[in-house]
């Protein structure tokens, strides 16, 4: 497996048993969009996100009812077998909610603090300090998450005045980036002054512009060794949000910047929230940083592949592998590294199939109605008939059992 050009060194942070930064892999996280006070709905969505592979899940804690629900949500998830760390997302009155609901403060694995709205004017330092002191008391890490949509306006104004006095003033975008970075670093320094260790601090500096995000994180990464949370905020809906997030974070990850990521997608009405987890996993896996599910290689199709058999089979195989992974991770250790090829004609079909662990080359237009199957680079069978797809799926299942199942483990042990 390949990796970044050189992974940036950062201080590792333990978030409820998940290591963010340090020697740990890039961690996938997500956020619910339920009303946290609705315990049933929130438990269902956290469970779905965790089942999809989210290693950390953030929930909104915006009022007393939500804070009171948090320990019940944590307990219900544990009963269901999900010990995914929960992060509380606090704005405006986080200090009060944490103080008034100590069970919430204890149940959460991390607190997210936005220095732009933790408090205003004279209350800012006091309320920020209260949240850090509660985090210290409960031995919880924090994410200091700056967002350009809620940036500290006093700091921004001060930097604009400072910039106006420069012999060669920075651009407005540069000033804004500097304000975002200073807000994060000032807050981290304040947390440390209050007794919080560097191993309890994660920083994020989110914007919604791709080039700005790349620039702000490059600068931040060069100026500190805190663990960094990556995310393009307000990325958008559908392919726009996926492409924008992947473009920005792909560049940063390749340069070794980023310890945990969230893909912030706006779901379609009634859409599946777990899509953001799938995209994050696919980004990391496509770039060769982590393995989550077996890779299915399939050709795009052309005039040679008038049959839709290969498309249907590729989708069936991919869906089957993805849906089976929660169980397979336990039953078949290492199966996520497997590769499968489903090809549509003779041009690249046999070659791609040989490169995969198991692959099939289906007949294209005018080709002999037969489908050679390759296992570990060797042709092992030629399938024929109307049920070729079903035959191949059986072969895939057999391959997984033989290579990753209990029989394989006994062979290795012997």
């Amino acid at each position: 497996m390949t990796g970044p050009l050189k992974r940036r060194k950062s201080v590792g942070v333990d978030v409820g048993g998940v290591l963010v930064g340090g020697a740990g892999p890039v961690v996938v996280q997500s956020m619910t969009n339920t009303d946290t006070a609705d315990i049933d709905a929130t438990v269902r969505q956290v469970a779905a996100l965790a089942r999809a592979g989210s290693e950390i899940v953030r929930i909104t804690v915006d009022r007393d009812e939500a804070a009171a629900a948090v320990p019940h949500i944590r307990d219900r998830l544990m009963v269901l077998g999900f010990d995914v760390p929960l992060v509380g997302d606090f704005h405006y009155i986080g200090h009060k909610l944490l103080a008034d609901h100590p069970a919430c403060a204890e149940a959460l694995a991390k607190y997210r603090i936005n220095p732009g709205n933790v408090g205003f004017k004279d209350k800012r330092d006091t309320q920020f300090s209260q949240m850090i002191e509660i985090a210290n008391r409960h031995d919880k890490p924090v994410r200091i998450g700056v967002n350009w949509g809620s940036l500290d306006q006093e700091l921004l104004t001060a930097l604009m005045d400072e910039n106006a006095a420069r012999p060669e003033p920075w651009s407005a975008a540069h000033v804004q980036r500097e304000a975002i970075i200073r807000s994060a670093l000032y807050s981290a320094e304040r947390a440390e002054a209050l007794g919080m260790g560097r191993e309890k601090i994660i920083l994020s500096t989110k914007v919604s512009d791709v080039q700005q995000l790349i620039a702000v994180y490059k600068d931040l990464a060069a100026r500190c060794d805190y663990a960094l949370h990556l995310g393009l905020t307000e990325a958008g809906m559908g392919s726009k949000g996926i492409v924008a997030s992947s473009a920005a974070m792909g560049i940063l990850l390749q340069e070794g910047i980023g310890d945990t990521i969230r893909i912030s997608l706006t779901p379609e009405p009634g859409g599946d929230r777990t899509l953001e987890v799938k995209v994050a996993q696919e980004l990391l896996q496509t770039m060769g940083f982590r393995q989550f599910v077996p890779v299915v290689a399939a050709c795009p199709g052309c005039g040679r592949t008038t049959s839709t058999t290969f498309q249907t089979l590729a989708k069936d195989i991919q869906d089957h592998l993805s849906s089976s992974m929660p169980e397979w991770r336990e039953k078949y250790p290492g199966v996520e590294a497997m590769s499968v090829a489903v090809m549509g004609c003779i041009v690249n079909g046999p070659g791609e199939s040989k490169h995969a662990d198991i692959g099939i080359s289906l007949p294209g237009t005018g080709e002999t109605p037969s489908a050679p199957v390759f296992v570990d680079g060797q042709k092992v069978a030629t399938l024929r008939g109307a049920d070729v797809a079903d035959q191949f799926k059986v072969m895939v299942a057999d391959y997984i059992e033989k290579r990753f199942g209990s029989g394989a483990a006994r062979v290795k042990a012997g």
Side-chain angles (χ1 to χ4, degrees):
M1 178 178 294
T2 58
L5 298 179
K6 185 178 181 182
R7 183 76 183 272
R8 166 185 172 270
K9 291 183 179 180
S10 62
V11 177
V13 180
D14 183 342
V15 180
V18 175
L19 179 61
V20 174
V26 180
V27 172
V28 172
Q29 61 178 282
S30 57
M31 184 175 183
T32 59
N33 61 358
T34 58
D35 177 358
T36 304
D38 185 337
I39 295 172
D40 290 342
T42 304
V43 167
R44 283 195 301 270
Q45 192 170 88
V46 172
L49 291 166
R51 194 177 295 113
S54 184
E55 294 159 303
I56 296 173
V57 177
R58 182 160 44 117
I59 59 178
T60 297
V61 187
D62 58 347
R63 63 193 195 281
D64 287 309
E65 293 81 359
V70 169
H72 300 291
I73 292 168
R74 189 273 315 273
D75 293 345
R76 289 266 296 274
L77 287 166
M78 293 294 287
V79 169
L80 293 172
F82 297 100
D83 60 353
V84 59
L86 298 178
V87 176
D89 194 59
F90 294 100
H91 298 274
Y92 307 110
I93 59 170
H95 63 292
K96 184 177 185 303
L97 293 174
L98 286 169
D100 291 349
H101 298 273
C104 169
E106 180 57 38
L108 293 169
K110 184 178 71 174
Y111 312 154
R112 185 277 174 108
I113 305 173
N114 184 340
N117 58 31
V118 69
F120 302 100
K121 297 187 180 298
D122 295 339
K123 294 181 178 180
R124 180 184 297 110
D125 288 346
T126 299
Q127 292 174 182
F128 178 83
S129 298
Q130 289 173 349
M131 292 189 74
I132 296 299
E133 287 165 359
I134 293 171
N136 285 339
R137 191 181 315 142
H138 291 278
D139 195 28
K140 305 292 182 178
V142 300
R143 170 162 72 93
I144 296 171
V146 183
N147 190 305
W148 74 347
S150 52
L151 185 58
D152 182 343
Q153 292 303 302
E154 289 185 37
L155 174 60
L156 180 59
T157 299
L159 287 179
M160 290 173 65
D161 292 341
E162 178 184 307
N163 187 56
R166 294 177 183 275
E168 296 182 11
W170 293 340
S171 67
H174 191 163
V175 174
Q176 187 172 54
R177 290 198 303 271
E178 181 65 17
I180 292 170
I181 291 170
R182 287 198 196 180
S183 178
L185 293 178
Y186 286 168
S187 299
E189 290 170 6
R190 175 65 178 159
E192 287 196 60
L194 291 166
M196 178 165 281
R198 300 177 72 78
E199 76 286 354
K200 295 290 187 182
I201 299 172
I202 298 173
L203 300 185
S204 67
T205 48
K206 292 188 177 183
V207 302
S208 59
D209 178 88
V210 170
Q211 296 295 344
Q212 285 277 67
L213 190 85
I214 294 168
V216 76
Y217 270 99
K218 281 186 175 181
D219 198 352
L220 176 63
R223 292 162 66 172
C224 73
D225 63 354
Y226 295 111
L228 300 182
H229 167 120
L230 296 188
L232 185 75
T233 191
E234 287 90 40
M237 183 179 289
S239 60
K240 184 268 179 187
I242 293 171
V243 171
S245 293
S246 299
M249 284 188 273
I251 290 172
L252 290 167
L253 289 167
Q254 184 61 25
E255 296 195 5
I257 298 171
D259 301 294
T260 180
I261 65 172
R262 185 210 167 187
I263 304 291
S264 300
L265 296 179
T266 302
E268 301 282 350
D272 187 354
R273 189 68 167 180
T274 63
L275 178 60
E276 65 178 49
V277 179
K278 182 179 179 181
V279 173
Q281 289 181 327
E282 289 181 350
L283 174 62
L284 293 173
Q285 181 154 329
T286 299
M287 296 189 70
F289 300 148
R290 293 189 66 182
Q291 290 288 138
F292 296 99
V293 296
V295 173
V296 179
C299 66
C302 66
R304 288 177 173 271
T305 56
T306 53
S307 168
T308 60
T309 302
F310 83 96
Q311 296 169 319
T312 302
L313 180 56
K315 185 178 188 306
D316 284 351
I317 292 292
Q318 186 158 292
D319 290 348
H320 178 60
L321 295 176
S322 296
S323 64
S324 300
M325 279 310 296
E327 177 186 348
W328 285 358
R329 285 191 186 97
E330 301 297 326
K331 188 176 181 181
Y332 301 118
V335 69
E336 64 274 6
M338 185 179 74
S339 60
V340 181
V342 181
M343 306 303 292
C345 81
I346 199 171
V347 174
N348 292 316
E352 287 285 353
S353 296
K354 289 178 183 178
H355 288 305
D357 292 319
I358 180 169
I360 186 170
S361 178
L362 294 162
T365 305
E367 295 178 14
T368 302
S370 62
V373 175
F374 298 83
V375 172
D376 296 330
Q378 302 298 317
K379 182 179 175 181
V380 298
T382 299
L383 306 183
R384 295 181 175 84
D387 63 341
V388 164
D390 290 334
Q391 293 180 58
F392 181 65
K393 283 189 276 189
V394 170
M395 293 186 72
V396 171
D398 288 344
Y399 179 83
I400 291 171
E401 179 61 40
K402 289 176 183 176
R403 179 174 172 185
F404 303 102
S406 57
R410 285 195 296 270
V411 170
K412 291 176 183 176

